[in-house]
Amino acid sequence: MSSDLDVFVGNTTLIDEEVYRLWLDGHSVAEAVARRLRGGVLEREGTSVAVLQSDTRDHYRTFQMLERLLHAPPRLLQQLLFQIPPERQALLVQRYYAFDEALARELLGKKLSKGTKKELDEVSARTGVGIRSCRRQFDNFKRVFKAVEELRGPLAENIQQLFLLPPALARDYAAIVFFANSRFETGKRRLQFLSFGDFAACAQSMMAHWSQGALAPEAAEPDGDLPKSFLQDLKELKVLVSDKDLLDQHKSLVCSALRGKISVYNELEANFKALSRALVNVGGKLTHARDVRDFFVDLVEKVIEPCRSDKWSPGDLRLFLTHYTAAPRNLPGFRHQALWERYMAAISACLLRMYHD
Amino acid sequence: MPGKLKVKIVAGRHLPVMDRASDLTDAFVEVKFGNTTFKTDVYPKSLNPQWNSEWFKFEVDDEELQDEPLQITVLDHDTYSANDAIGKVYIDIDPLLYSEAATVISGWFPIYDTIHGIRGEINVVVKVDLFNDLNRFRQSSCGVKFFCTTSIPKCYRAVVIHGFVEELVVNEDPEYQWIDRIRTPRASNEARQRLISLMSGELQRKIGLKVLEMRGNAVVGYLQCFDLEGESGLVVRAIGTACTLDKLSNTSAFLPACNSPSKEMKEIPFNEDPNPNTYSSGPSTPLKNQTYSFSPSKSYSRQSSSSDTDLSLTPKTGMGSGSAGKEGGPFKTLLRQQTQSALEQREFPFFTLTTFPPGFLLHVGGVVSARSVKLLDRIHNPAFVGIMGNTRSYKLLDWNSFNSDEPETRDAWWAEIRQEIKSHAKALGCHAVVGYSESTSICEEVCILSASGTAAVLNPRFLQDGTMEGCLEQRIEEASPPGCGFCHIPYDELNMPFPAHLTYCYNCRKQKVPDVLFTTIDLPVEAIVVGKGCLIQARLCRLKKKAQAEANATSISNLLPFMEYEVHTQLMNKLKLRGMNALFGLRIQITVGENMLMGLASATGVYLAALPTPGGIQIAGKTPNDGTYEQHISHMQKKINDTIAKNKELYEINPPELPEEIIGSPIPEPRQRSRLLRSQSESSDEVTELDLSHGKKDAFVLEIDDTDAMEDVHSLLTDVPPPSGFYSCNTEIMPGINNWTPEIQMFTAVRVSRLSNINPTNQTLNKNFNDLCENLLKSLYFKLRSMVPCCLCHVNFTVALPEDELVQIAVTAVAITYDKNQALQANKAPTEKSQQRASTDNEEQLQFPLELSSDPLSSQPFSPAKEALEGASSHTGIPAAQRDRCNSWIELIKLKAQTIRRGSIKTTTSLEKASPLAEGYLRHRSVPSGTNSTVSVVKMTPLSFLPGAKITKYLGIINMFFIRETTSLREEGGVSGFLHAFIAEVFAMVRAHVAALGGNAVVSYIMKQCVFMENPNKNQAQCLINVSGDAVIFVRESELEVLPAPPPAAAAQPAGSAGDVTT
């Protein structure tokens, strides 16, 4: 005796978190049933496989109907079709937009295009995230990207408004959008030691310190793009390395401040000019889209790796960056202190975050 | 011209994209009422149009107001081709027609299309200005209130319970008109929806007229059904109980209410007729021409339908012989005569109520039922009703004959059945039938009409001038113990209508009671029950040869008695197996299909303290001298005994032991009997009474001499008790549990299964059917496991046989959680009750800080968000920690919700100013704890109440009929996906209508019909759903009590605003 039709509809929509998880992970009904069986529901509830199948199918149908609404979470709040308590709505949204960091790491800085979507098979194999789940997460990234691409104001807040995500998750999405927009290279071998969290933190500090919104909330440009004028101004900072006097004075200021305070003083003294040149030039290159891509590569190659080979401790780096940033204040003839500090705030934050094994 | 209907179209949202090129829609709205249509401007290029239209005004008769639905069509404007319809909203404006209910309908309605389902939402405001019309000959019955609830609604008091009202309307089904061949499915569906809406409006109006004639002001237990008879048409019929209700001006106190209706009654001159047995034959339309004049103790005049062919069945013993009880003889006699007199002047002393005011129900006789098999193609020809003739006539488009003949025929059919019921009741010594209901099952041209109820003796006071106080006095005089009085037999002991085994009541030991009691009503509140109750079902299949017309009807008629007998035996056995002695809420459904009949009986078993302890079940084999066989038998016996013992423990049935001597009743023989009187009649053929007692042998000795019987015993034992933490019943309340928490979950589950047997036999079919029901129940328990401990209440199964070998089962029920810690105590001591209340209060207080929101627009003025949250936290079962984590961004969502709503408020608040609702909203907003949610929560329940809440206002009846069709079944997720979406849509539309009326719940919700048809080969499916219920405003009891000074004023507000218009 087979059941052709089998539905259960509650006035309050039943949401089973376990089944939702399985659905989000991209399992088919049969796989989901198998997993639930392994979870021992049968023994706990004393029910039958048929019941479990029917239950799973019901939930899957509900989720499929809900998916359309999850694409625009504010609609989930307004819709009349499913009566879902606010807490559950929040849970549905949060889980739907939650992503695997391994996957996000793979996609950081890539164009969220059809081409990338086609490569998801490999990504799925590398990260161990199911292909269906990969596609859903990719679509989420793309949907969020499209929605906020043209919007003004702080990226994370826009995302939070439009997708009703918890603040932390919204900030992560902001980072993803920021990377997709600026197309930073993150896939190089020497960048492999950096996690999604590292990049997200970097993106957040960059947006926090550099974006238009950071200075004027009513900014004309979207947060995802770094303001052109700011990037243009960064060229002015080159004076710090191109002017021999300034460079020497800068070095002596930093060295005198740090003498005896850090363990790698000699190395610092030897490498100061190279480091300073690297730190200033990274900023100077940001006006060219092609060079922007190399931002993280440069930081790693020219700052992090030399320091690491000289066995700087994170504390050393922190101390150095503090004094390196502060010193130009006392440089005669250097008129870009505000710009410099704005620039270095993000760079320091990035470096400190990235400085690990 | 006594009414002005005003409609304003405010805005739309989430409209579908109608123009592929721009991905936008140029929407406008047509507002139609009767033959008048208004249009809004086109709002170009938007999926969220803001029409903000003027007030469209319709000046109409109140008759039209009652019949017609307001029809709102949303269209996409197209310059070059025809405008495309997006969808429609039908709004029943009936709730605006009586002053006590809603004053405005305002809110977001889902835009519904029969092909695409819900496509966006539209915000509409509807008002009605009614002018008083004192025309005596008016055809409208505005002002009569309708309730689906089968008890006296909570904030009313019954002044008089007048009795049975019924009506039916017949029309041709648009689906079967010739035009259907050339019009689109959409047009055909819409024609059908509109027609049914019209017909139910008309029906309600006609019933209202009857109520006014009876000098009532309300219909309680209103049940309206559709018979889709295919070629032969569409019948909409309704039954109900006419009452005069008084609004309790303050819901918490019994104030002396104005008795104007009853006063009016008294003004009518008595028709003093010395001869109580004068029958004057009146016109066949019942009720209409009766004079409602009688006095409590005087004689009466009676006019009744001439069709009293059954009078010969009136029990020969004098009703008031007093032999039934040794106590209070003469008084009782008088009482009986009064009741009789009060009732007999009515053609049908039936009551659709299942719960009664205390003291109303004096004695209960037992279940009475009647069935009749009819051939639908005969309706055209009343002379050949039934299966006597040989000619078949198909109806053509003959509207005149159609309209004139058919209702008559249908009326006659039902009248016949009702007469039978009445005579059965009389045979049980009862004057009235309570818990009365009617149903049909149609397969092609064969139709089974069924009616059933519970024969009872009622207190006459309620039926006449209804002074409740007097009635209470009387009850004291009568000295019938309240806890068991209703169990005492109403019939004459020496002249019993059927063999029964009587004992003295185990409670009062003064009067006789039967050994088992079957009823269709809810367990009376005052009944003394031991332990808990449980859902008991009897399930049965019978194969039938495929046949045509007369042969088919004959074979069905022949099968019916056997089915009834078997259903009854099963019920009896299952009852015994659970160690119980009474069934409440019994509903036997017999469904006819092409090649089989199915019987499904559901009831709630309980142990009534007044009735004797049931005996066990003995198994006996017929072939002795066979060792292994004997062994097998004793094995089975042991199993049965074990089950009984286990069940007794499970349902906590530990009746106080009574020494036999105390009972001291002459126990003639250990024979067990039941009372289920019923009959089959096939057209006008005379009924043969079927003795349901098992001949001479003891009913509870099961003889297993053949495989059939073996199967029976096996099936007895296959019923699995619900998992721990679950109870189930099909009555309103679960006997033995009274500490409900406010968390409820109403649901509908539908299953269609194929009984795929090449050579099906009755046994295999029975087993399949049994498994199907058991699995469905199991599946429900699993689904709702997070609510444990809980009880499934009002479990309502409906069986349909849509095609060969296909069985469709639909279940609607509500799961209610209860407090386990106090679940053990069955006593309903008031102290305990208050204790429970306190505990729920605490719970709610705990949840208070988490409280989310109520929509200001949503007319949940006083029980805001708590509701939402309770539902939320309870359904979710999220651990608290996690909840906290969510909280911060829930805040955000709330904020978001507020901003979203603000836009819409702007447009509507100004409109609502006049309504008390808006005032409530404003007041509510000033309360700091008021928070917001996007969509107001609307609770739905098949019960007449909400646990832990007080219903403060009834806003009107919800009666909705929807058709959904698809030609892309696979794309919509197959049959399950299609139906799942449709049921969800129906819920959504019900909720939206309730919210627009200002309500926050639907009580007495019922899905009366769910007809599903599919054609997988064509990738098509169609489904019709009919639902009804009462829209209400409820307030959490805890809120009434917990909130300090100002809120009580606010809380009293809806009651007050409603009360001041009480006539």
Side-chain angles (χ1 to χ4, degrees), chain A residues 162-285:
Chain A
L162 284 173
F163 292 92
L164 309 178
L165 300 180
L169 189 57
R171 282 196 295 273
D172 283 348
Y173 267 93
I176 292 167
V177 171
F178 183 71
F179 269 79
N181 205 39
S182 305
R183 311 277 307 281
F184 293 111
E185 173 65 57
T186 63
K188 283 264 164 63
R189 176 172 282 245
R190 54 166 37 113
L191 295 183
Q192 284 311 310
F193 73 101
L194 293 170
S195 70
F196 171 80
D198 296 334
F199 283 119
C202 294
Q204 276 149 26
S205 1
M206 286 159 84
M207 280 187 284
H209 295 107
W210 294 354
S211 69
Q212 194 108 71
L215 294 180
E218 302 300 317
E221 282 177 81
D223 249 14
D225 298 327
L226 294 176
K228 291 252 158 47
S229 56
F230 169 71
L231 297 178
Q232 205 63 44
D233 292 347
L234 287 182
K235 287 193 190 294
E236 306 287 329
L237 298 177
K238 285 207 174 172
V239 73
L240 278 177
V241 288
S242 55
D243 184 318
K244 189 101 180 38
D245 281 356
L246 273 183
L247 183 58
D248 286 339
Q249 284 177 41
H250 192 186
K251 179 180 173 182
S252 67
L253 278 171
V254 174
C255 286
S256 63
L258 288 177
R259 189 191 306 269
K261 288 190 182 153
I262 58 172
S263 55
V264 289
Y265 181 74
N266 294 333
E267 291 84 345
L268 163 67
E269 208 169 14
N271 283 338
F272 182 87
K273 286 183 182 173
L275 281 177
S276 186
R277 223 168 259 132
L279 286 169
V280 173
N281 284 339
V282 162
K285 285 164 74 182

Side-chain angles (χ1 to χ4, degrees), chain A residues 1-19 36 41-42 44-48 50-65 68-69 72-95 157-170, chain B residues 13-14 108-110 118 121 723 744-756 768-769 771-772 775-776 778-780 782-785 806 850 852-853 868-869 871-873 875-878 882-883 886-890 892-893 896-897 900 933-940 973 975-977 979-981 983-985 987-988 991-992 1012 1014:
Chain A
M1 192 175 60
S2 59
S3 283
D4 297 1
L5 184 158
D6 180 4
V7 297
F8 175 100
V9 189
N11 183 36
T12 304
T13 306
L14 284 182
I15 308 281
D16 185 302
E17 288 180 47
E18 186 197 359
V19 184
R36 294 181 82 185
V41 187
L42 232 52
R44 264 199 322 278
E45 305 292 334
T47 189
S48 68
V51 166
L52 206 57
Q53 274 170 343
S54 134
D55 181 61
T56 311
R57 273 194 219 105
D58 261 327
H59 284 302
Y60 267 56
R61 267 197 306 275
T62 308
F63 298 143
Q64 273 151 23
M65 286 189 257
R68 195 172 47 87
L69 298 163
R75 277 198 65 181
L76 183 68
L77 267 68
Q78 284 188 331
Q79 54 85 31
L80 305 176
L81 190 55
F82 299 99
Q83 183 158 282
I84 306 173
E87 281 186 345
R88 296 254 107 179
Q89 290 182 343
L91 178 103
L92 285 171
V93 173
Q94 191 229 353
R95 294 271 173 90
E157 273 175 44
N158 283 340
I159 293 172
Q160 213 176 324
Q161 289 272 318
L162 284 173
F163 292 92
L164 309 178
L165 300 180
L169 189 57
Chain B
R13 66 184 185 196
H14 310 320
W108 288 100
F109 291 89
I118 290 178
E121 288 130 34
I744 62 166
Q745 166 71 293
M746 189 283 295
F747 60 86
T748 292
V750 182
R751 263 184 200 195
V752 176
S753 273
R754 195 167 292 278
L755 302 171
S756 51
N768 282 345
F769 184 38
D771 289 350
L772 184 59
N775 286 337
L776 187 47
K778 255 192 231 165
S779 163
L780 298 181
F782 181 72
K783 287 255 177 218
L784 300 162
R785 65 193 184 282
L806 279 188
L850 274 173
L852 283 184
S853 50
L869 189 92
S873 58
H875 284 298
T876 57
I878 312 180
Q882 196 174 337
R883 215 181 294 160
C886 303
N887 252 2
S888 58
W889 46 285
I890 290 174
L892 173 86
I893 290 190
K896 183 68 187 165
I900 289 170
S933 95
T934 350
V935 179
S936 62
V937 173
V938 175
K939 295 216 165 193
M940 290 168 76
V975 283
S976 296
L979 195 63
H980 192 142
I983 294 175
E985 282 167 350
F987 285 0
R991 286 192 304 256
F1012 178 76
E1014 58 165 321

Side-chain angles (χ1 to χ4, degrees), chain A residues 35-174:
Chain A
R35 277 171 185 259
R36 294 181 82 185
L37 282 174
R38 260 176 272 152
V41 187
L42 232 52
E43 293 73 33
R44 264 199 322 278
E45 305 292 334
T47 189
S48 68
V49 180
V51 166
L52 206 57
Q53 274 170 343
S54 134
D55 181 61
T56 311
R57 273 194 219 105
D58 261 327
H59 284 302
Y60 267 56
R61 267 197 306 275
T62 308
F63 298 143
Q64 273 151 23
M65 286 189 257
L66 279 170
E67 190 163 23
R68 195 172 47 87
L69 298 163
L70 284 166
H71 289 168
R75 277 198 65 181
L76 183 68
L77 267 68
Q78 284 188 331
Q79 54 85 31
L80 305 176
L81 190 55
F82 299 99
Q83 183 158 282
I84 306 173
E87 281 186 345
R88 296 254 107 179
Q89 290 182 343
L91 178 103
L92 285 171
V93 173
Q94 191 229 353
R95 294 271 173 90
Y96 190 79
Y97 282 92
F99 54 84
D100 288 293
E101 295 203 345
L103 175 77
R105 172 70 183 81
E106 291 273 341
L107 295 175
L108 267 185
K110 289 210 172 105
K111 199 174 174 190
L112 297 174
S113 64
K114 284 216 178 89
T116 313
K117 196 174 180 181
K118 282 192 188 119
E119 293 163 17
L120 284 176
D121 283 340
E122 298 164 30
V123 178
S124 163
R126 273 204 299 279
T127 55
V129 179
I131 179 65
R132 272 192 262 187
S133 181
C134 280
R135 294 209 185 103
R136 181 180 56 81
Q137 296 183 35
F138 176 84
D139 289 340
N140 284 346
F141 296 154
K142 192 169 172 181
R143 191 176 316 111
V144 173
F145 180 81
K146 290 262 176 224
V148 297
E149 204 179 12
E150 307 289 316
L151 291 184
R152 291 170 187 180
L155 203 50
E157 273 175 44
N158 283 340
I159 293 172
Q160 213 176 324
Q161 289 272 318
L162 284 173
F163 292 92
L164 309 178
L165 300 180
L169 189 57
R171 282 196 295 273
D172 283 348
Y173 267 93

Side-chain angles (χ1 to χ4, degrees), chain B residues 285-336:
Chain B
T285 6
L287 301 166
K288 260 188 183 154
N289 295 298
Q290 297 190 18
T291 48
Y292 296 91
S293 53
F294 39 81
S295 65
S297 53
K298 280 180 184 164
S299 53
Y300 52 90
S301 90
R302 169 181 157 144
Q303 287 188 328
S304 124
S305 123
S306 52
S307 59
D308 281 352
T309 49
D310 62 302
L311 286 178
S312 56
L313 285 169
T314 318
K316 288 100 205 157
T317 43
M319 267 299 131
S321 66
S323 60
K326 288 162 190 159
E327 191 88 359
F331 179 76
K332 208 166 182 178
T333 310
L334 183 66
L335 193 71
R336 273 162 187 263

